[in-house]
Amino acid sequence: MSDTRNYGPASPRPYQCFMGHWEGLCKSFTPHGDFLESSAVHMDVYWLDDNTWHLHEHFENLYGVGETIFDTPIGVDGKRCFADSDQLSLEGAELTPYNYVFTIDSRVSNNIVYNNHYFLDPDTRRIITHKVRDGATSLFQIQDFTRVQRP
């Protein structure tokens, strides 16, 4: 008996689901889960070349820092990504086509940042963030984004 299954076309290359213009809200919480504040975030993500994408992320008020803009080229090697700039050092990986994890050493907020990106649908993304400073949790954040412009 032949067991052939048609699973349809292959999923897009890693990180393609990030491309576009996104509008979001970042909610900050204490290490005990108490709400602190929320702030708008504007994000533009696009390919620079076949192995590099660019993240432009504008926080109207990054908690504890103030207005902040990250402009970061991010290299890609298969499912892995990486970046190093004056603002941050970053490593990430695609776990599934719509779930990504990142570890960021932020020179802006002086935290180690653990981000989990979940694509709830192609145009809705949630980022759950755990920030650590001096070995202890300093902040939790949830960012909810809607893609307002597709590639």
Side-chain angles (χ1 to χ4, degrees):
M1 178 174 165
S2 174
D3 187 17
T4 59
R5 296 184 179 129
N6 179 0
Y7 292 113
S11 64
R13 67 182 170 165
Y15 304 98
Q16 178 59 36
C17 55
F18 285 82
M19 301 305 128
H21 183 81
W22 300 80
E23 292 293 330
L25 187 66
C26 179
K27 285 105 25 209
S28 298
F29 301 85
T30 70
H32 300 287
D34 299 318
F35 176 76
L36 293 167
E37 70 175 26
S38 61
S39 177
V41 184
H42 318 281
M43 186 182 298
D44 203 29
V45 186
Y46 51 92
W47 290 104
L48 294 173
D49 60 43
D50 287 344
N51 299 308
T52 311
W53 52 282
H54 187 267
L55 170 69
H56 177 91
E57 188 172 24
H58 175 198
F59 287 86
E60 289 187 7
N61 183 32
L62 180 62
Y63 184 80
V65 177
E67 184 174 12
T68 304
I69 296 174
F70 290 97
D71 268 311
T72 310
I74 300 173
V76 175
D77 182 12
K79 292 183 175 188
R80 182 178 168 270
C81 73
F82 47 89
D84 194 17
S85 72
D86 291 341
Q87 293 180 308
L88 57 82
S89 174
L90 172 150
E91 290 188 23
E94 176 194 69
L95 302 182
T96 72
Y98 296 100
N99 183 234
Y100 292 77
V101 292
F102 296 87
T103 301
I104 304 160
D105 183 352
S106 174
R107 297 175 185 116
V108 172
S109 67
N110 296 311
N111 284 289
I112 300 297
V113 179
Y114 300 100
N115 276 353
N116 289 286
H117 291 242
Y118 303 91
F119 286 80
L120 304 174
D121 64 47
D123 295 319
T124 308
R125 177 167 39 130
R126 171 167 280 173
I127 305 169
I128 299 177
T129 300
H130 180 184
K131 293 187 175 185
V132 176
R133 182 181 295 144
D134 299 324
T137 297
S138 62
L139 193 69
F140 290 111
Q141 291 176 316
I142 296 174
Q143 298 178 61
D144 289 304
F145 284 95
T146 299
R147 185 178 1 220
V148 296
Q149 185 175 354
R150 284 183 167 215

